[in-house]
């Protein structure tokens, strides 16, 4: 049976990565947070309200960019810091009455296709992304409580409403009218909301696509599902690891098709998924 060569993957990141990449690797391997300088650099540019803009000079916070920054900070063990907590609170405030998220119309000229305000596919993707990270925050908070403690979990109402929006958007065959990434983020949310039927249907669709899935997508999917507690022995995870083992290069990395820097990020995602 072909398996991922984790030692080779680690060696690839050490050789090809920058200081932030190596800090992410260190945290993933040992749980030791990086230096203040590294984390502060990742937090830079945050707007007073808690979100991050689409560019260094931007003044309007973006849901898509803010979720991306939260993802980066999570890889450094920094979700408990004020910057990430403010960002999560901002996301919670931005939820619409129907449980969804979408960018404000002022961001239309600069938002990418997958985050265009008013676009139904983008709305479902952003809803899955924001709900996923608020779910992760709630899981981390719950993990700090002693057994039996009934302290309210932050963003529980937001995540429940977001999950309902995702559930009501699914097609009868378990597919979703949005991007591939929406599927694994949504499946992770369904799993944590005990919507196991919907989660299983979405995972089944993802499983059918795995044999042809690009390594970058297989890694991101596996890392997201593991982050919310899906078992490493789950059949979707086993299939994802098989796909990643088949596509690993002899130098230990994977081909992102976007250059060395993205290859390192992809390899870190693989390590996060199977560590």
């Amino acid at each position: 049976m072909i398996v991922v060569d984790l030692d080779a993957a680690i060696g690839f990141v050490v050789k090809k990565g920058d200081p932030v990449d190596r800090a992410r690797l260190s945290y993933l391997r040992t749980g030791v947070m990086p230096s203040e300088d590294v984390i502060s650099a990742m937090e830079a540019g945050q707007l007073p309200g808690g979100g991050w803009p689409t560019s260094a000079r931007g003044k309007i916070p973006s849901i898509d960019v803010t979720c991306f920054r939260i993802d980066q900070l999570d890889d450094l063990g920094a979700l408990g810091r004020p910057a990430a907590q403010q960002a999560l609170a901002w996301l919670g405030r931005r939820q619409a009455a129907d449980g969804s998220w979408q960018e404000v119309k002022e961001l239309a000229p600069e938002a990418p296709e997958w985050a265009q305000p008013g676009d139904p596919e983008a709305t479902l993707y952003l809803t899955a992304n924001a709900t996923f990270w608020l779910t992760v925050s709630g899981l981390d908070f719950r993990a700090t409580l002693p057994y039996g403690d009934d302290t309210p979990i932050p963003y529980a109402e937001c995540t429940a409403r977001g999950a309902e929006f995702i559930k009501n958007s699914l097609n009868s065959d378990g597919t979703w009218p949005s991007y591939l990434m929406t599927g694994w983020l949504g499946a992770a949310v369904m799993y944590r909301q005990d919507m196991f039927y919907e989660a299983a249907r979405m995972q089944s669709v993802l499983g059918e696509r795995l044999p042809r899935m690009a390594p970058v997508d297989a890694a991101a999917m596996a890392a997201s599902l593991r982050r919310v507690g899906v078992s490493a022995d789950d059949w979707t995870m086993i299939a994802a690891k098989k796909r990643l083992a088949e596509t690993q290069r002899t130098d230990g990395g994977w081909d992102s098709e976007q250059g060395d820097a993205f290859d390192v990020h992809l390899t870190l995602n693989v390590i996060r998924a199977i560590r």
Side-chain angles (χ1 to χ4, degrees):
M1 178 180 177
I2 301 174
V3 296
V4 170
D5 187 339
L6 193 57
D7 289 337
I10 291 169
F12 177 80
V13 175
V14 171
K15 181 178 180 180
K16 297 288 188 178
D18 61 23
V20 173
D21 295 325
R22 288 190 285 273
R24 289 173 62 194
L25 176 65
S26 178
Y27 177 72
L28 289 172
R29 294 180 65 195
T30 68
V32 176
M33 288 183 63
S35 68
E36 179 69 26
D37 289 347
V38 169
I39 298 179
S40 294
M42 299 301 294
E43 295 171 341
Q46 188 175 30
L47 297 173
W52 276 272
T54 58
S55 65
R57 295 185 178 182
K59 301 298 182 184
I60 303 174
S62 160
I63 294 165
D64 184 45
V65 175
T66 298
C67 288
F68 175 73
R69 289 295 192 102
I70 292 172
D71 189 356
Q72 290 182 310
L73 291 171
D74 185 44
D75 264 3
L76 298 172
L79 283 197
R81 287 169 57 93
Q85 290 299 302
Q86 291 164 14
L88 291 161
W90 177 79
L91 281 180
R93 295 194 299 270
R94 281 297 317 278
Q95 188 177 31
D98 65 357
S100 69
W101 278 264
Q102 64 174 292
E103 302 285 22
V104 295
K105 61 182 180 181
E106 289 81 4
L107 284 177
E110 53 196 284
E113 176 186 356
W114 60 83
Q116 278 294 313
D119 180 80
E121 292 183 61
T123 297
L124 185 54
Y125 158 67
L126 291 173
T127 300
N129 207 358
T131 308
F132 174 83
W133 284 112
L134 292 176
T135 297
V136 166
S137 175
L139 286 172
D140 286 357
F141 178 81
R142 182 181 287 124
T144 68
L145 300 177
Y147 179 77
D149 192 311
D150 59 357
T151 301
I153 304 300
Y155 312 115
E157 183 179 346
C158 287
T159 56
R161 290 167 56 211
E164 280 296 323
F165 185 89
I166 298 167
K167 175 183 175 181
N168 293 335
S169 300
L170 296 178
N171 299 319
S172 59
D173 61 356
T175 59
W176 49 93
S178 185
Y179 307 105
L180 180 61
M181 185 177 183
T182 305
W184 63 72
L185 293 171
V189 169
M190 296 292 101
Y191 176 82
R192 288 314 318 181
Q193 287 291 326
D194 294 340
M195 297 178 178
F196 297 123
Y197 175 68
E198 288 77 15
R201 287 200 302 161
M202 297 180 80
Q203 284 181 250
S204 178
V205 173
L206 291 166
E208 291 173 359
R209 299 182 184 182
L210 262 169
R212 302 175 303 280
M213 198 178 285
V216 66
D217 293 325
M221 184 199 76
S224 297
L225 293 176
R226 286 293 289 145
R227 186 63 177 88
V228 297
V230 173
S231 171
D233 295 326
D234 180 270
W235 71 269
T236 313
M237 290 296 305
I238 293 172
K241 287 185 281 189
K242 180 177 183 292
R243 176 61 176 160
L244 292 168
E246 292 169 345
T247 52
Q248 188 175 19
R249 299 189 310 228
T250 56
D251 65 357
W254 282 261
D255 186 7
S256 69
E257 302 180 353
Q258 293 178 288
D260 285 352
F262 291 95
D263 290 355
V264 172
H265 176 74
L266 165 53
T267 303
L268 281 164
N269 241 2
V270 175
I271 295 169
R272 180 168 69 164
I274 68 172
R275 71 187 188 281

